[in-house]
Amino acid sequence: MSFDAVLAEKRFGCGLSPRIAPPADVAAMMAGLRAPDVMSERFPIEPFPAFLSRMAEYRQLAKRARKQGETQEGTGLKKQTRLMQREAREAWLHWMAAHISRRVHTESGFRERLEFFWADHFTATGKNALMRRSSSPYMQSALRPRIMGRFEDLLVEAVTHPVMVDYLDQTRSTGPGSPATLKRPDKRGMNENLAREVLELHTLGVGAPYTQTDVRELAELMTGLTFDPQNGRKFVKGWAEPGAETVLGKTYGGTKNATFRDLEAALRDIANHPSVAGHLAWKLAMHFVSDTPDPALVAELEGVWTETSGDLPSVYEALLRHPAAWRPEGANVKQPFDFISSACRALDVPHAALADLSERDFRLRIQRPLMLMGHVWQKPDGPDGLPEEDDAWIKPQGIAARLQWAVTMPQIMLDDLPDPRDFVEVALGPDAPEAVRFAASAAESRADGIGLVLASPAFQRM
């Protein structure tokens, strides 16, 4: 099999559009990745430094409120913190609308899909107060600008980012022999969560040749890594474990406390461990092509990854140029966000139809249906992110939720629905099944016809 423009938009992009032509070839897809990020400018998401400013202001207000107690001023300050929480919650939904609109309007759907792939690989979400709304700013500032660079740069940025540090309990991790722990042994201690997930999920993979000793040594090397809202990421020397640590056979640091440079060096070495190439090659092939990717495709990606030391554009291009990537059989089922966003793209839903919604309506039309389909937006069950297997998404409740959304939401979001006889071609392309064409043409109303197309098995596949 070779490049297929319609399949390229379905499998590697955000679905077919009535206005935007599919990419002409692999070169066009790669050029789209290298082009300026127009969608970020058109549908902005708050950069993480701006989000940190929100957090700094919130903490100041909360601190003053606690100090004032049950006084009139304290009550007023508490009210301001609640207002800031509401503003952050509304912004969180607005950023979700921006993610969808980027997928509706982009000419480089592969960029949007890659951003979400890496966001899922480096799953991270804040735990408390405003930090719970930080995932989109994290994606925007830490991941999106680096998806066309080297994996080691992406790894260092993601693993040491404040959102990841908060998510995996690194904020107060202190070395067993650090001055901080020796001074307050009852209050201080080391946490291995981040170190374990770096080796198991983010780089080497389950079953790779690392030991509990490697996890503990990396955790010791990470002690001192934390953040604050005024400065973002920081490294507190007094929290770091003194002496050297050995991870995967290589020693970092010396007789003094470790530094951030020692940690960064270790992460870059881990990123270039031979096991990483196989783990990430398999994961990319499974995510974009099939639950059971061709071993030859995985081997090709692993080889390119190794030859280029994790140069991501080279790996993406190898994926797009391999014949096994273009076989129509075994296509993945769309995950819920892919389903909703590709439906919005096929319907050409204007940004205002999403961004101008009240919080209540956005939750009813997008967030809650997404949850009923099985995807709780930016609230993962664990650091391994969303399941890749199709079986996880093809369940009775999820299918019922897709059908319900397909039949009801398009007519609510759009004043005028397209003719289903034309829409079936837009949404599914020239290879639309005859049964779906017939159902669309025989529907009693436009809403029914659109719903039948979006609910069809053909539209669920990528």
Side-chain angles (χ1 to χ4, degrees):
M1 301 295 293
S2 58
F3 179 86
D4 179 292
V6 171
L7 187 57
E9 198 66 279
K10 291 180 180 178
R11 180 165 290 175
F12 298 102
C14 301
L16 298 173
S17 161
R19 287 184 300 106
I20 303 167
D25 50 30
V26 171
M29 293 179 74
M30 294 304 299
L33 290 178
R34 294 188 174 97
D37 186 2
V38 177
M39 289 298 104
S40 279
E41 295 181 9
R42 186 171 173 186
F43 306 109
I45 289 173
E46 186 168 286
F48 192 76
F51 186 84
L52 271 180
S53 297
R54 279 183 193 253
M55 288 183 57
E57 183 182 352
Y58 179 86
R59 284 198 180 186
Q60 284 289 340
L61 284 173
K63 184 178 178 181
R64 288 171 54 200
R66 286 194 299 271
K67 192 173 181 179
Q68 291 297 326
E70 299 302 322
T71 64
Q72 185 175 2
E73 185 177 356
T75 301
L77 290 166
K78 284 180 183 176
K79 187 176 180 180
Q80 289 184 55
T81 60
R82 288 195 293 272
L83 178 61
M84 286 198 72
Q85 287 200 8
R86 190 181 76 184
E87 290 172 346
R89 189 178 67 237
E90 290 171 346
W92 182 67
L93 293 175
H94 192 77
W95 299 331
M96 185 177 175
H99 284 302
I100 296 174
S101 290
R102 289 177 181 186
R103 290 184 171 216
V104 170
H105 296 278
T106 184
E107 294 185 4
S108 178
F110 197 23
R111 186 202 298 268
E112 306 306 322
R113 294 282 311 287
L114 283 169
E115 181 192 22
F116 273 64
F117 170 80
W118 288 114
D120 192 62
H121 180 73
F122 291 114
T123 289
T125 184
K127 290 186 170 179
N128 298 303
L130 265 58
M131 197 64 165
R132 289 181 297 161
R133 315 298 177 187
S134 61
S135 293
S136 288
Y138 157 71
M139 292 169 64
Q140 180 66 29
S141 294
L143 306 183
R144 192 174 176 97
R146 292 172 179 80
I147 60 175
M148 283 294 283
R150 306 186 79 81
F151 176 71
E152 64 180 60
D153 295 326
L154 190 55
L155 178 73
V156 171
E157 185 65 24
V159 167
T160 63
H161 194 275
V163 180
M164 184 69 78
V165 167
D166 183 60
Y167 180 54
L168 291 178
D169 309 309
Q170 182 65 32
T171 50
R172 296 180 63 79
S173 182
T174 57
S178 69
T181 301
L182 295 176
K183 185 177 180 180
R184 298 292 304 275
D186 56 327
K187 298 288 186 182
R188 296 289 190 177
M190 187 173 73
N191 192 297
E192 296 181 358
N193 287 353
L194 181 56
R196 185 177 307 283
E197 302 309 354
V198 165
L199 294 175
E200 183 172 309
L201 296 179
H202 301 150
T203 58
L204 308 183
V206 177
Y210 68 89
T211 66
Q212 172 56 30
T213 300
D214 291 314
V215 171
R216 183 167 181 81
E217 291 281 296
L218 181 58
E220 289 184 359
L221 197 58
M222 286 179 162
T223 52
L225 174 64
T226 185
F227 79 97
D228 68 51
Q230 281 72 35
N231 304 295
R233 184 186 69 200
K234 69 177 185 179
F235 198 90
V236 183
K237 290 184 178 179
W239 294 8
E241 178 68 2
E245 279 82 29
T246 301
V247 182
L248 299 173
K250 188 166 181 178
T251 300
Y252 303 89
T255 56
K256 299 181 180 178
N257 290 9
T259 66
F260 183 80
R261 285 187 178 182
D262 296 318
L263 171 58
E264 181 177 353
L267 290 174
R268 291 188 183 281
D269 286 339
I270 294 169
N272 287 289
H273 188 281
S275 295
V276 176
H279 179 212
L280 269 297
W282 171 82
K283 197 166 181 180
L284 275 164
M286 185 180 185
H287 181 81
F288 282 100
V289 180
S290 167
D291 278 6
T292 53
D294 190 320
L297 171 62
V298 177
E300 174 69 13
L301 300 186
E302 183 177 356
V304 172
W305 189 293
T306 302
E307 290 169 9
T308 63
S309 301
D311 179 61
L312 297 177
S314 299
V315 178
Y316 303 152
E317 186 160 359
L319 172 66
L320 297 175
R321 292 197 181 283
H322 199 282
W326 300 101
R327 291 176 186 152
E329 63 270 17
N332 283 328
V333 169
K334 292 175 180 174
Q335 294 180 359
F337 188 74
D338 295 324
F339 168 74
I340 287 181
S341 58
S342 64
C344 289
R345 181 174 171 89
L347 291 162
D348 203 21
V349 173
H351 183 55
L354 299 166
D356 293 349
L357 292 175
S358 66
E359 180 182 352
R360 175 182 174 277
D361 284 347
F362 192 89
R363 289 188 185 281
L364 287 174
R365 298 178 190 185
I366 304 294
Q367 189 194 13
R368 181 167 172 74
L370 193 67
M371 183 180 69
L372 293 174
M373 294 175 202
H375 182 179
V376 182
W377 180 248
Q378 295 183 343
K379 292 182 180 176
D381 290 338
D384 53 346
L386 298 173
E388 288 285 358
E389 296 80 4
D390 291 350
D391 291 350
W393 307 110
I394 304 300
K395 294 180 177 179
Q397 179 180 329
I399 294 173
R402 291 186 191 215
L403 177 61
Q404 180 72 14
W405 191 92
V407 171
T408 58
M409 288 305 161
Q411 59 184 314
I412 293 174
M413 291 193 294
L414 295 178
D415 294 332
D416 297 308
L417 290 174
D419 188 321
R421 292 167 296 183
D422 300 327
F423 183 70
V424 69
E425 192 85 19
V426 169
L428 300 177
D431 56 349
E434 281 304 317
V436 183
R437 290 180 190 276
F438 175 78
S441 64
E444 293 187 358
S445 67
R446 287 196 171 200
D448 288 349
I450 298 298
L452 287 169
V453 173
L454 295 179
S456 69
F459 192 76
Q460 311 312 309
R461 296 278 178 185
M462 307 187 86

